[in-house]
Amino acid sequence: MTLNRSDRFKSLEKRRGSMPFTMHQQLHRRSMPVDDKELHGKTPASQLSSLVRCPSYNPSDEHRESWASDSSDSVISSGSDSEDHVYKVILLGEHGVGKSSLARIFGGVEDLHDVEEAGNTYDRSIVVDGEEACLLVFDIWEQDDNHWLHNQCMKMGDAYVIVYSVTDKTSFEKASELRIQLRRARQSEDIPIILVGNKSDLVRSREVSVEEGRACAVVFDCKFIETSASLHHNVKDLFEGIVRQVRLRKDSKEDNARRMASSKRRESIGKKAKRFLGKIVAKNNKKMAFKQKSKSCHDLSVL
Ligand SMILES: Nc1nc2c(ncn2[C@@H]2O[C@H](COP(=O)(O)OP(=O)(O)OP(=O)(O)O)[C@@H](O)[C@H]2O)c(=O)[nH]1
């Protein structure tokens, strides 16, 4: 019997009891190969090996940007014991915009076209700015009038990713609607929301420009990034950005300042130069408040 997303969600919730989706290894697909060293001695690999499915990223695929191999900042581990830093991330967006593809890249699933895996949750520990955080990514959103599921999704997230396809104007308009729905559902809360223009690789069939995406993010007061799940472009930046956005809201100023300082120390010369030039440009544009704001909506490491 094939379960739809809502059925899976309900059955998971049932198995877990009243607290939906706390950290519980058996119920989640895990991501990267388990390695004793990566686990920092927290959980013996032998205990995890029976629970973990380990699809591996293929670094020989030259067309793709690597999530795992190109960053010292993104050491991937699995099986964090701590629930302190578990952030629930909900993917929202129209049909076919690439939600599952992005989630599967995060989850380390190799075959992005494997429809059997549709509608899933993925958890993974990543080290961002020198500290570990665990993201629980929910790819369970449905377009139908499933009010129960919609309500759950709107209530439970620590962060939201609203995805549209840059090749589909309607999905872009739908993204705005979702943002409004979210605002209504979580009125008094300051939750990180990232607007994602996916399929940026499909240059010729683009219907939504980068500027439109950015302007929308400014109007709706959220962050913005364009990705290509097919090329794995910016996917790592997206998920690391989510961690940073949650931390900026949940953790103390001191903690965030310390992380910022340590990440700056690790920055490459190229990145430092880029940041320096960015500051000069920002100074010159000081009078143009909109430009400045639209610039910061691109930067997932600041509020
Ligand atoms: N060219 C290109 N195709 C993509 C990209 N991301 C996803 N696709 C393709 O778009 C189609 C839909 O992707 P999904 O990840 O299933 O989209 P979804 O938002 O989960 O769709 P639903 O499950 O219907 O809600 C698939 O054929 C993907 O291979 C991308 O970045 N570039």
Side-chain angles (χ1 to χ4, degrees):
M1 185 180 68
T2 315
L3 295 179
N4 65 22
R5 288 178 182 190
S6 164
D7 293 336
R8 283 175 202 233
F9 183 95
K10 281 179 177 159
S11 77
L12 281 174
E13 197 183 31
K14 232 183 193 170
R15 287 159 70 189
R16 283 170 169 233
S18 59
M19 278 284 284
F21 302 106
T22 53
M23 275 294 290
H24 195 293
Q25 288 156 354
Q26 272 113 318
L27 299 177
H28 297 295
R29 295 170 47 86
R30 287 274 181 179
S31 47
M32 299 298 285
V34 180
D35 175 354
D36 281 19
K37 278 180 223 143
E38 286 180 338
L39 292 172
H40 309 301
K42 281 183 185 165
T43 314
S46 56
Q47 279 178 9
L48 277 168
S49 56
S50 60
L51 308 174
V52 177
R53 240 184 85 173
C54 306
S56 58
Y57 171 75
N58 179 4
S60 63
D61 187 346
E62 287 174 8
H63 301 292
R64 292 176 168 191
E65 281 188 12
S66 167
W67 162 288
S69 61
D70 64 355
S71 166
S72 59
D73 227 12
S74 235
V75 182
I76 310 300
S77 64
S78 193
S80 167
D81 287 347
S82 162
E83 292 199 21
D84 293 350
H85 301 290
V86 182
Y87 306 136
K88 294 190 244 39
V89 180
I90 318 289
L91 295 174
L92 308 176
E94 267 291 281
H95 265 311
V97 293
K99 299 182 295 297
S100 302
S101 305
L102 292 167
R104 286 176 211 168
I105 293 170
F106 172 78
V109 178
E110 258 181 288
D111 183 3
L112 296 187
H113 303 282
D114 181 0
V115 284
E116 280 301 303
E117 297 292 346
N120 241 317
T121 66
Y122 303 83
D123 70 78
R124 180 172 184 173
S125 292
I126 57 178
V127 176
V128 180
D129 301 331
E131 283 173 39
E132 189 173 294
C134 181
L135 291 186
L136 248 175
V137 173
F138 292 86
D139 173 31
I140 54 175
W141 185 252
E142 282 178 354
Q143 318 305 321
D144 328 334
D145 288 337
N146 188 338
H147 295 300
W148 181 85
L149 183 68
H150 286 187
N151 278 341
Q152 290 296 319
C153 287
M154 292 289 172
K155 270 197 288 192
M156 65 191 266
D158 294 310
Y160 289 84
V161 175
I162 303 180
V163 188
Y164 67 90
S165 163
V166 300
T167 66
D168 177 2
K169 194 91 177 182
T170 310
S171 72
F172 181 58
E173 285 154 8
K174 181 73 188 174
S176 303
E177 282 173 32
L178 287 166
R179 173 69 187 97
I180 293 165
Q181 267 176 258
L182 250 182
R183 185 181 276 168
R184 269 197 216 119
R186 309 282 291 265
Q187 267 170 6
S188 54
E189 295 171 72
D190 179 20
I191 335 158
I193 299 172
I194 300 177
L195 180 67
V196 176
N198 188 43
K199 306 198 186 183
S200 62
D201 57 294
L202 297 177
V203 181
R204 289 189 182 186
S205 32
R206 189 186 265 276
E207 288 182 4
V208 185
S209 68
V210 182
E211 290 71 27
E212 284 175 293
R214 197 181 298 156
C216 180
V218 172
V219 168
F220 285 113
D221 193 22
C222 58
K223 292 290 171 182
F224 171 69
I225 190 167
E226 281 203 351
T227 56
S228 164
S230 292
L231 303 180
H232 289 209
H233 177 65
N234 272 350
V235 180
K236 177 171 82 74
D237 287 2
L238 167 63
F239 287 101
E240 288 185 355
I242 292 167
V243 172
R244 292 190 177 108
Q245 287 299 306
V246 178
R247 282 176 175 168
L248 283 164
R249 287 162 175 84
K250 288 200 169 181
D251 295 353
S252 67
K253 274 187 183 161
E254 292 74 26
D255 283 346
N256 281 306
R258 180 174 35 75
R259 285 182 196 122
M260 183 73 101
S262 94
S263 89
K264 272 184 190 163
R265 272 199 302 276
R266 282 196 300 270
E267 252 179 15
S268 65
I269 292 176
K271 269 192 180 169
K272 276 185 182 150
K274 210 171 156 189
R275 202 158 42 80
F276 177 69
L277 286 173
K279 272 187 186 165
I280 293 176
V281 174
K283 260 189 189 169
N284 290 338
N285 287 338
K286 240 183 184 159
K287 287 172 208 147
M288 299 155 82
F290 179 81
K291 256 196 174 172
Q292 265 204 319
K293 210 172 176 204
S294 73
K295 199 172 141 29
S296 80
C297 83
H298 252 322
D299 186 349
L300 271 56
S301 65
V302 297
L303 275 176

CSV table of all heavy atoms in Angstrom, one decimal, residues 5 94-101 113 143 198-199 201-202 228-230, ligand 1:
chain,number,residue,atom,x,y,z
A,5,ARG,N,1.6,11.7,1.6
A,5,ARG,CA,2.4,12.4,2.5
A,5,ARG,C,1.7,12.6,3.9
A,5,ARG,O,2.2,12.5,4.9
A,5,ARG,CB,2.7,13.8,2.0
A,5,ARG,CG,3.7,13.7,0.9
A,5,ARG,CD,4.0,15.1,0.3
A,5,ARG,NE,5.0,14.9,-0.8
A,5,ARG,CZ,5.6,15.9,-1.4
A,5,ARG,NH1,5.4,17.1,-1.0
A,5,ARG,NH2,6.4,15.6,-2.4
A,94,GLU,N,4.6,25.1,-4.4
A,94,GLU,CA,3.8,24.4,-5.4
A,94,GLU,C,4.3,23.0,-5.9
A,94,GLU,O,5.5,22.7,-5.6
A,94,GLU,CB,3.7,25.3,-6.7
A,94,GLU,CG,2.6,26.2,-6.7
A,94,GLU,CD,1.2,25.5,-6.9
A,94,GLU,OE1,0.9,25.2,-8.1
A,94,GLU,OE2,0.5,25.4,-5.9
A,95,HIS,N,3.5,22.3,-6.6
A,95,HIS,CA,3.9,21.1,-7.2
A,95,HIS,C,5.1,21.2,-8.1
A,95,HIS,O,5.1,22.2,-8.9
A,95,HIS,CB,2.7,20.6,-8.1
A,95,HIS,CG,1.8,19.6,-7.5
A,95,HIS,ND1,2.2,18.5,-6.8
A,95,HIS,CD2,0.4,19.6,-7.4
A,95,HIS,CE1,1.2,17.9,-6.3
A,95,HIS,NE2,0.1,18.5,-6.7
A,96,GLY,N,6.0,20.4,-8.0
A,96,GLY,CA,7.0,20.3,-9.0
A,96,GLY,C,8.1,21.4,-9.0
A,96,GLY,O,8.9,21.5,-10.0
A,97,VAL,N,8.1,22.1,-7.9
A,97,VAL,CA,9.1,23.2,-7.9
A,97,VAL,C,10.5,22.7,-7.5
A,97,VAL,O,11.5,23.4,-7.6
A,97,VAL,CB,8.7,24.4,-7.0
A,97,VAL,CG1,7.4,25.1,-7.6
A,97,VAL,CG2,8.4,23.9,-5.6
A,98,GLY,N,10.6,21.5,-6.9
A,98,GLY,CA,11.9,21.0,-6.5
A,98,GLY,C,12.0,20.8,-5.0
A,98,GLY,O,13.2,20.6,-4.5
A,99,LYS,N,10.9,20.8,-4.2
A,99,LYS,CA,11.1,20.6,-2.8
A,99,LYS,C,11.7,19.3,-2.4
A,99,LYS,O,12.7,19.2,-1.6
A,99,LYS,CB,9.7,20.7,-2.1
A,99,LYS,CG,8.9,22.0,-2.3
A,99,LYS,CD,7.6,21.9,-1.6
A,99,LYS,CE,6.6,20.9,-2.2
A,99,LYS,NZ,6.2,21.1,-3.6
A,100,SER,N,11.2,18.2,-3.0
A,100,SER,CA,11.8,16.9,-2.7
A,100,SER,C,13.2,16.8,-3.1
A,100,SER,O,14.0,16.2,-2.5
A,100,SER,CB,10.9,15.8,-3.4
A,100,SER,OG,9.6,15.9,-3.0
A,101,SER,N,13.5,17.4,-4.3
A,101,SER,CA,14.9,17.3,-4.8
A,101,SER,C,15.8,18.0,-3.8
A,101,SER,O,16.9,17.4,-3.5
A,101,SER,CB,15.0,18.0,-6.2
A,101,SER,OG,14.1,17.4,-7.1
A,113,HIS,N,15.3,11.1,-8.6
A,113,HIS,CA,14.1,10.8,-9.4
A,113,HIS,C,13.3,9.6,-8.8
A,113,HIS,O,12.4,9.2,-9.3
A,113,HIS,CB,14.5,10.5,-10.8
A,113,HIS,CG,15.2,11.6,-11.5
A,113,HIS,ND1,14.6,12.8,-11.9
A,113,HIS,CD2,16.5,11.8,-11.7
A,113,HIS,CE1,15.5,13.6,-12.4
A,113,HIS,NE2,16.6,13.0,-12.3
A,143,GLN,N,-0.5,20.0,-1.9
A,143,GLN,CA,-1.3,21.2,-2.5
A,143,GLN,C,-2.8,21.1,-2.2
A,143,GLN,O,-3.5,22.1,-2.1
A,143,GLN,CB,-1.1,21.2,-4.0
A,143,GLN,CG,0.3,20.9,-4.5
A,143,GLN,CD,1.3,21.9,-3.8
A,143,GLN,OE1,1.1,23.0,-3.6
A,143,GLN,NE2,2.5,21.3,-3.5
A,198,ASN,N,14.1,28.0,-7.2
A,198,ASN,CA,14.9,26.8,-7.6
A,198,ASN,C,14.9,26.7,-9.2
A,198,ASN,O,14.1,27.4,-9.8
A,198,ASN,CB,14.3,25.6,-7.0
A,198,ASN,CG,15.1,24.3,-7.2
A,198,ASN,OD1,16.3,24.3,-7.1
A,198,ASN,ND2,14.4,23.2,-7.5
A,199,LYS,N,15.6,25.8,-9.7
A,199,LYS,CA,15.8,25.5,-11.1
A,199,LYS,C,16.5,26.6,-11.8
A,199,LYS,O,16.2,27.0,-13.0
A,199,LYS,CB,14.5,25.2,-11.8
A,199,LYS,CG,13.7,24.1,-11.1
A,199,LYS,CD,12.6,23.5,-12.0
A,199,LYS,CE,11.7,22.5,-11.2
A,199,LYS,NZ,10.7,21.9,-12.0
A,201,ASP,N,19.2,26.6,-13.1
A,201,ASP,CA,20.0,26.1,-14.2
A,201,ASP,C,19.2,26.2,-15.5
A,201,ASP,O,19.8,26.3,-16.6
A,201,ASP,CB,20.4,24.6,-14.0
A,201,ASP,CG,19.1,23.7,-13.7
A,201,ASP,OD1,18.5,23.9,-12.7
A,201,ASP,OD2,18.8,22.9,-14.5
A,202,LEU,N,17.9,26.3,-15.4
A,202,LEU,CA,17.1,26.3,-16.7
A,202,LEU,C,17.0,27.8,-17.2
A,202,LEU,O,15.9,28.4,-17.2
A,202,LEU,CB,15.7,25.7,-16.4
A,202,LEU,CG,15.7,24.3,-16.0
A,202,LEU,CD1,14.3,23.8,-15.6
A,202,LEU,CD2,16.3,23.4,-17.1
A,228,SER,N,19.9,25.5,-7.6
A,228,SER,CA,19.6,24.5,-8.7
A,228,SER,C,19.8,23.2,-8.0
A,228,SER,O,21.0,22.8,-7.7
A,228,SER,CB,20.5,24.7,-9.9
A,228,SER,OG,20.5,23.5,-10.6
A,229,ALA,N,18.7,22.5,-7.8
A,229,ALA,CA,18.9,21.1,-7.2
A,229,ALA,C,19.6,20.2,-8.2
A,229,ALA,O,20.4,19.4,-7.8
A,229,ALA,CB,17.5,20.6,-6.8
A,230,SER,N,19.4,20.4,-9.4
A,230,SER,CA,20.0,19.6,-10.4
A,230,SER,C,21.5,19.7,-10.4
A,230,SER,O,22.2,18.7,-10.5
A,230,SER,CB,19.6,19.9,-11.9
A,230,SER,OG,18.2,19.6,-12.0
B,1,LIG,N1,16.4,21.4,-14.2
B,1,LIG,C1,16.0,21.3,-13.0
B,1,LIG,N2,15.1,20.4,-12.6
B,1,LIG,C2,14.7,20.3,-11.3
B,1,LIG,C3,15.4,21.0,-10.3
B,1,LIG,N3,14.8,20.7,-9.1
B,1,LIG,C4,13.9,19.7,-9.4
B,1,LIG,N4,13.8,19.5,-10.7
B,1,LIG,C5,12.9,18.5,-11.4
B,1,LIG,O1,11.6,19.0,-11.2
B,1,LIG,C6,10.7,17.9,-11.0
B,1,LIG,C7,9.9,18.1,-9.7
B,1,LIG,O2,10.8,18.0,-8.7
B,1,LIG,P1,10.4,17.6,-7.2
B,1,LIG,O3,11.6,17.7,-6.3
B,1,LIG,O4,9.7,16.3,-7.2
B,1,LIG,O5,9.4,18.8,-6.9
B,1,LIG,P2,8.4,18.9,-5.6
B,1,LIG,O6,8.3,20.3,-5.3
B,1,LIG,O7,8.8,18.0,-4.5
B,1,LIG,O8,7.0,18.4,-6.3
B,1,LIG,P3,5.8,17.7,-5.6
B,1,LIG,O9,6.2,16.5,-4.9
B,1,LIG,O10,4.8,17.5,-6.7
B,1,LIG,O11,5.2,18.7,-4.6
B,1,LIG,C8,11.6,16.7,-11.1
B,1,LIG,O12,11.5,16.1,-12.4
B,1,LIG,C9,13.0,17.2,-10.8
B,1,LIG,O13,14.0,16.4,-11.3
B,1,LIG,C10,16.4,21.9,-10.7
B,1,LIG,O14,17.0,22.6,-9.9
B,1,LIG,N5,16.7,22.0,-12.0
